[in-house]
Amino acid sequence: MSDLLAGYTLWQRELVRFLRQPSRLGSAIATPLLFWAFLGSGLSASFRAPGAPPGLDYLEYLFPGTVVLLVLFASIFSTISVIEDRTEGFLQGVLVAPVARGVVVAGKVLGGATLAWLQGTLVLAVAPLAGIPLTWRTALAATGVLALLSLALTGLGFVFAWRVESVQGFHAVMNLLLMPLWLLSGALFPLGGAPGWLEWVMRLNPLTYGVAALRLALYPDPTAAGGSLPPLGVSLAILGAAAAAAFIAGLATVGRGRR
């Protein structure tokens, strides 16, 4: 019971901290949406996705990738609290408490993933403005994909935040690692339109399957999603495995990290 209470408290603390900083919500949502509006408008006239229907413009194609970018930002920003908690001494107090290390990982990761999922779901509601119709089935499927994606990205951010000494160093590492992952995920251009060597790099990128799963969840007809996409079952399996691997890596990191 004490472990459950500790995990719930850590989860709740992440949400309370976020609600006390409303500027985080505005900046996290505004940046990807501005990116979507400017880049999508500029490239709409010249975009053609291989195998996609003629009516698919770039604003519509880019929207799922923009939602993934938002979830990525929100997940990574939420794990900065690990560094702040260590600096303030809160984390040391939690680690000496009589609770399992896994509870610490679960509380922090689930708290950050919840925040990322809520922000991604909020932006997903404006999909009809991008030309993507939403039904209760597609909305439910897409929010499920966002939940898995949030867990995977927050778990990855937690691993790095636990090891990095400063917020500045954390930002540098995340920019070096995560932006290339997003750029090569099929969010900006489809797999079928990439050169052979680059297509293989994209297929080895776990985030590619998160973007593909979100596209396939939003479009009941796969041909309307744009480009050649991995099957939905394969994408969900790889995304779920990435989330589990990130959580296990977090457990291993905390188990051998400093107290």
Side-chain angles (χ1 to χ4, degrees), residues 52-113:
L56 181 69
D57 67 3
Y58 195 56
L59 277 169
E60 183 179 348
Y61 177 84
L62 185 60
F63 185 79
T66 303
V67 177
V68 171
L69 180 63
L70 168 62
V71 171
L72 187 152
F73 280 166
S75 299
I76 298 309
F77 287 160
S78 68
T79 54
I80 293 176
S81 65
V82 174
I83 302 173
E84 295 172 344
D85 287 344
R86 184 170 62 231
T87 303
E88 296 167 359
F90 174 81
L91 191 59
Q92 288 84 339
V94 171
L95 292 178
V96 299
V99 295
R101 291 291 182 95
V103 173
V104 178
V105 179
K108 298 291 288 185
V109 170
L110 288 176

Side-chain angles (χ1 to χ4, degrees), residues 117-138:
W117 177 80
L118 288 173
Q119 293 174 70
T121 302
L122 183 63
V123 173
L124 190 65
V126 304
L129 297 179
I132 303 175
L134 282 180
T135 66
W136 71 269
R137 291 180 183 275
T138 58

